[in-house]
Amino acid sequence: GAEDRAIAGALTGDVERIASVFDAAARAAQLRANGIATTPMLRAAIGTDAATLTDLATSEMVFTAGPGESLEVFRISNGKPVSLLRIPKSAAALPPLSGRDTRFRSDGLGVTLATGTPITGYREGLAGGIVIAAPVDLAAVRRALDEHTAGASLIGLGSELALVDHRTGGAGSPIELTIPSMGAWTAGAAKLLVTPRRAPGLSWAGPARYMAGGLAALLLVGFAMSVRRRPETQPQLSPPHVS
């Protein structure tokens, strides 16, 4: 019906909105990582040690982390990554990523992306990589889902992340929707588990439809019975006139 089509259209927009938010966050992080990885000072220092990179980060301000961000610089030695620098130092260790990979992870409280970019040293055979981790802002997604869902959560990215949790009646059955991949990232097993919220103004439509059908049937039966009970009348002939 029209209500189901409206709900389907809204949910399709929801998964596309999530994919767009992830894609924008991935592109922003990739641009930032590329800008740091191509810094001449970093390319020259990738073959040194952790102390040199720490001094470079402190004095030259090449490495800066925004609110909630963290970054880590690796040197590739004999095919194995060795961590040289982590900012801030108190941040959790980041996974070394091959090439220009981007991954999303949920801890049940929020979603964090990690994107990697290779660093090419000035000497042959010298290489490294930088990984930047940043939180993903899902405020706009939560607001959109809150308008027409009774419950919604992200699954397939680690711990389930609740986006909407009204716990109200008038809801439909839970639906799993696959989040599409886009240019700057791969969705993998990411899905939106959503419970649609039925419009309260249309909750009477189903019972009213059945009541209308029943009333029509009763009227039809009553009309048929009244026809059968109607007495048959014959036309009265007037007596002949005698002069």
Side-chain angles (χ1 to χ4, degrees):
E3 182 185 0
D4 292 329
R5 289 193 295 271
I7 292 174
L11 296 182
T12 300
D14 291 333
V15 294
E16 291 176 351
R17 184 177 292 104
I18 294 174
S20 297
V21 170
F22 282 3
D23 189 64
R27 290 181 185 277
Q30 288 169 2
L31 286 174
R32 181 166 161 72
N34 289 338
I36 297 175
T38 55
T39 303
M41 287 183 290
L42 177 58
R43 295 183 62 190
I46 195 65
T48 60
D49 54 12
T52 302
L53 277 178
T54 300
D55 292 340
L56 181 62
T58 303
S59 60
E60 300 297 335
M61 297 298 291
V62 176
F63 312 98
T64 58
E69 288 184 347
S70 61
L71 61 86
E72 193 159 352
V73 178
F74 299 90
R75 182 177 66 235
I76 308 300
S77 300
N78 299 322
K80 296 182 179 180
V82 177
S83 178
L84 297 179
L85 178 68
R86 184 184 305 151
I87 298 178
K89 292 183 179 180
S90 58
L94 297 178
L97 303 178
S98 59
R100 303 179 185 275
D101 193 12
T102 300
R103 301 177 185 176
F104 288 85
R105 187 74 179 172
S106 169
D107 60 358
L109 301 175
V111 174
T112 303
L113 70 85
T115 186
T117 299
I119 301 173
T120 304
Y122 286 114
R123 296 201 311 267
E124 184 178 356
L126 183 62
I130 181 172
V131 178
I132 292 182
V136 180
D137 186 4
L138 297 173
V141 173
R142 292 177 186 271
R143 287 194 299 268
L145 287 168
D146 185 68
E147 294 178 356
H148 53 266
T149 64
S153 58
L154 278 174
I155 59 176
L157 296 176
S159 300
E160 181 176 350
L161 173 62
L163 299 174
V164 175
D165 188 8
H166 287 304
R167 299 184 182 275
T168 57
S173 301
I175 302 172
E176 281 190 10
L177 301 171
T178 300
I179 299 176
S181 301
M182 300 190 76
W185 71 291
T186 301
K191 292 183 179 181
L192 176 65
L193 180 64
V194 59
T195 303
R197 182 171 55 190
R198 299 293 180 181
L202 296 179
S203 60
W204 48 265
R209 186 163 51 247
Y210 290 113
M211 291 175 63
L215 180 59
L218 288 175
L219 291 175
L220 181 61
V221 171
F223 175 75
M225 293 180 64
S226 66
V227 171
R228 293 188 60 182
R229 292 178 179 178
R230 184 180 301 170
E232 295 183 1
T233 58
Q234 298 293 335
Q236 298 295 327
L237 300 178
S238 57
H241 176 70
V242 179
S243 56

